[in-house]
């Protein structure tokens, strides 16, 4: 069994981005106290940090687990695991082990049912981790840090967590709301076009019910990557619900956003989404809208695109509808 650690839990309040002591969660960890003076990167003795960035119940997000030199951390549902998550049923009792080997930290799958993934790729046996790598154990996702300045890296990771969705790594609702307010204000001030696309996955509950939530998570991740490949840097792509996404497009008129939506609709329909041995076909329903003079608030543009998306649902799904001004 892995080394016994003293508790030194840290969690983050994502609402005000402030550090606070971890509460009574039913999920526990044990590890050594913080080393006060980090050694240079790559030198044996540098502490490693693991940050929880996605959880099926959005529980304990931002919590940091510290791995001292030459220590190990086991993660699983077992109460004997160093990071014990008994309520994450997609975890095996003893799912994976991280081993600090000096200058390198290695992650090893312990024969888990659902596997261990590093940067969305399954691993076999042990694999070294690079600082910034993400790894997934069941429905729990972590970010690995092995930095010269772990406090700076930690705060950078938490800022990313505040603004990005832990599962898909695109912007989250909070960041989207911020960008929507700013872009609407800019478009109104300079009389420039601004359009919005809102889409979601058709019958997504059936995917979860038929193939399991891990398959559903994989579909969400793959759709996010597929869509991102077709966007320009200035477009804001965010996940705003379980299976709902938005694309905010400055300097794009209604015809342009409608063409983009149709391109994405066709691309998603043609794609084969894969999880383990499964192949899944999905479709999406789209709604598009452009900022109009009568829209005085940012929420008005969002509501217009949302209504158009539900028109697509009502007309049979897997299509694009535009908001009629």
């Amino acid at each position: 069994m892995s080394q016994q650690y003293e508790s030194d839990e840290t969690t983050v309040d994502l609402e005000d981005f402030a550090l606070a002591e971890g509460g009574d969660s039913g999920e526990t960890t044990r590890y050594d106290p913080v080393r006060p003076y980090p050694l240079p990167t790559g030198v044996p003795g540098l502490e490693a940090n693991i940050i929880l960035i996605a959880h099926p119940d959005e529980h304990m997000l931002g919590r940091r687990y510290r791995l001292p030199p030459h220590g190990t951390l086991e993660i699983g549902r077992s109460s004997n695991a160093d990071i014990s998550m008994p309520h994450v049923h997609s975890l095996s009792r003893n799912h994976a082990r991280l081993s600090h080997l000096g200058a390198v930290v290695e992650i090893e799958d312990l024969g888990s049912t659902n596997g261990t993934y590093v940067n969305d790729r399954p691993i076999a046996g042990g694999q070294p981790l690079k600082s910034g790598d993400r790894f997934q154990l069941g429905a729990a996702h972590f970010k690995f840090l092995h930095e010269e300045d772990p406090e700076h890296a930690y705060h950078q990771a938490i800022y990313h967590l505040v603004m990005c969705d832990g599962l898909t790594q695109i912007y989250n609702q909070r960041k989207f709301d911020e960008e929507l307010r700013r872009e609407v204000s800019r478009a109104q001030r300079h009389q420039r076009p601004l359009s919005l696309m809102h889409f979601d996955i058709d019958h997504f509950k059936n995917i979860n019910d038929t193939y399991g939530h891990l398959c559903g998570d994989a579909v969400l991740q793959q759709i996010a990557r597929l869509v991102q490949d077709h966007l320009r840097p200035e477009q804001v792509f965010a996940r705003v619900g379980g299976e709902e996404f938005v694309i905010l497009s400055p300097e794009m008129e209604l015809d342009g956003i409608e063409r983009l939506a149709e391109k994405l609709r066709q691309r998603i329909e043609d794609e084969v989404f894969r999880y383990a041995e499964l192949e899944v076909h999905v479709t999406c329903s789209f709604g598009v809208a452009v900022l109009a003079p009568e829209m005085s608030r940012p929420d008005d543009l969002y509501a217009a695109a949302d209504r158009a998306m539900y028109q697509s649902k009502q007309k049979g799904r897997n299509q694009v509808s535009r908001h009629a001004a």
Side-chain angles (χ1 to χ4, degrees), residues 116-131:
T116 297
Y117 292 73
V118 174
N119 298 325
D120 302 322
R121 296 180 180 276
I123 68 169
Q127 178 170 318
L129 291 172
K130 301 186 301 295
S131 190

Side-chain angles (χ1 to χ4, degrees), residues 66-78:
R66 309 182 188 198
L67 178 57
H70 307 293
T72 60
L73 274 175
E74 288 195 6
I75 306 173
R77 286 189 295 108
S78 170

Side-chain angles (χ1 to χ4, degrees), residues 3 27 29 45 50 65 69 84 89 108 132 144 160 166 176 184 187 193 198 211 231 262 290 308-309 311:
Q3 176 180 347
E27 298 180 359
T29 184
I50 300 98
Y65 304 98
S84 175
H89 299 297
E108 176 189 4
F144 172 74
H160 180 80
F176 167 71
V184 166
H198 190 185
Y211 303 112
L231 300 183
E262 177 57 33
V290 68
M309 184 189 71
Q311 290 174 19

Side-chain angles (χ1 to χ4, degrees), residues 213-230:
H213 287 271
L214 293 183
C215 180
D217 286 351
V219 168
L220 291 169
Q221 291 172 314
Q222 290 170 54
I223 283 181
R225 287 196 294 270
L226 182 155
V227 171
Q228 208 157 26
D229 287 343
H230 291 82

Side-chain angles (χ1 to χ4, degrees), residues 185-197:
S185 176
R186 188 192 68 85
Q188 290 173 334
R189 184 168 61 252
H190 298 291
Q191 297 297 297
R192 302 302 300 167
L194 177 66
S195 58
L196 181 64
M197 180 194 310

Side-chain angles (χ1 to χ4, degrees), residues 205-276:
K205 183 177 183 298
N206 291 347
I207 296 174
N208 284 333
D209 291 346
T210 303
Y211 303 112
H213 287 271
L214 293 183
C215 180
D217 286 351
V219 168
L220 291 169
Q221 291 172 314
Q222 290 170 54
I223 283 181
R225 287 196 294 270
L226 182 155
V227 171
Q228 208 157 26
D229 287 343
H230 291 82
L231 300 183
R232 302 194 305 262
E234 67 271 19
Q235 291 176 301
V236 178
F237 181 32
R239 181 185 177 202
V240 294
E243 67 271 26
E244 295 185 44
F245 300 86
V246 290
I247 301 172
L248 183 65
S249 297
E251 305 296 331
M252 185 175 282
E253 300 280 7
L254 188 58
D255 286 346
I257 196 72
E258 188 172 30
R259 285 194 298 271
L260 176 60
E262 177 57 33
K263 180 179 180 180
L264 294 175
R265 185 204 65 76
Q266 187 66 58
R267 185 71 180 82
I268 291 169
E269 183 182 24
D270 293 342
E271 184 75 5
V272 178
F273 297 95
R274 292 180 171 84
Y275 172 71

Side-chain angles (χ1 to χ4, degrees), residues 7-246:
S7 178
D8 185 27
E9 293 185 62
T10 304
T11 190
V12 173
D13 183 346
L14 298 183
E15 289 302 313
D16 58 13
F17 196 13
L19 294 177
E21 290 300 318
D24 182 10
S25 65
E27 298 180 359
T28 61
T29 184
R30 296 181 291 278
Y31 41 81
D32 278 348
V34 180
R35 180 182 295 274
Y37 302 107
L39 298 176
T41 303
V43 174
L46 181 64
E47 179 186 86
N49 290 263
I50 300 98
I51 301 172
L52 180 64
I53 62 172
H55 187 284
D57 302 323
E58 297 189 354
H59 187 54
M60 300 197 312
L61 295 182
R63 178 157 296 182
R64 174 171 48 176
Y65 304 98
R66 309 182 188 198
L67 178 57
H70 307 293
T72 60
L73 274 175
E74 288 195 6
I75 306 173
R77 286 189 295 108
S78 170
S79 60
N80 293 322
D82 298 306
I83 301 176
S84 175
M85 295 184 166
H87 304 303
V88 182
H89 299 297
S90 54
L91 280 176
S92 295
R93 286 184 56 78
N94 299 290
H95 196 110
R97 179 189 297 117
L98 289 96
S99 300
H100 198 313
L101 306 178
V104 175
V105 173
E106 184 177 270
I107 186 168
E108 176 189 4
D109 185 81
L110 299 178
S112 67
T113 300
N114 291 313
T116 297
Y117 292 73
V118 174
N119 298 325
D120 302 322
R121 296 180 180 276
I123 68 169
Q127 178 170 318
L129 291 172
K130 301 186 301 295
S131 190
D133 281 348
R134 292 178 294 108
F135 62 92
Q136 176 184 355
L137 314 177
H141 296 237
F142 298 83
K143 189 177 184 70
F144 172 74
L145 298 173
H146 201 191
E147 301 281 351
E148 182 175 355
D149 184 353
E151 289 301 319
H152 173 74
Y154 175 58
H155 284 279
Q156 288 290 100
I158 293 301
Y159 176 79
H160 180 80
L161 179 59
V162 169
M163 296 300 179
C164 293
D165 174 57
L167 177 66
T168 61
Q169 298 298 297
I170 62 175
Y171 286 139
N172 59 18
Q173 175 84 58
R174 179 174 182 162
K175 178 64 172 176
F176 167 71
D177 290 343
E178 176 184 302
E179 293 293 329
L180 180 63
R181 288 192 298 270
R182 182 168 63 196
E183 290 297 338
V184 166
S185 176
R186 188 192 68 85
Q188 290 173 334
R189 184 168 61 252
H190 298 291
Q191 297 297 297
R192 302 302 300 167
L194 177 66
S195 58
L196 181 64
M197 180 194 310
H198 190 185
F199 68 97
D200 80 354
I201 303 172
D202 296 327
H203 303 298
F204 185 68
K205 183 177 183 298
N206 291 347
I207 296 174
N208 284 333
D209 291 346
T210 303
Y211 303 112
H213 287 271
L214 293 183
C215 180
D217 286 351
V219 168
L220 291 169
Q221 291 172 314
Q222 290 170 54
I223 283 181
R225 287 196 294 270
L226 182 155
V227 171
Q228 208 157 26
D229 287 343
H230 291 82
L231 300 183
R232 302 194 305 262
E234 67 271 19
Q235 291 176 301
V236 178
F237 181 32
R239 181 185 177 202
V240 294
E243 67 271 26
E244 295 185 44
F245 300 86
V246 290

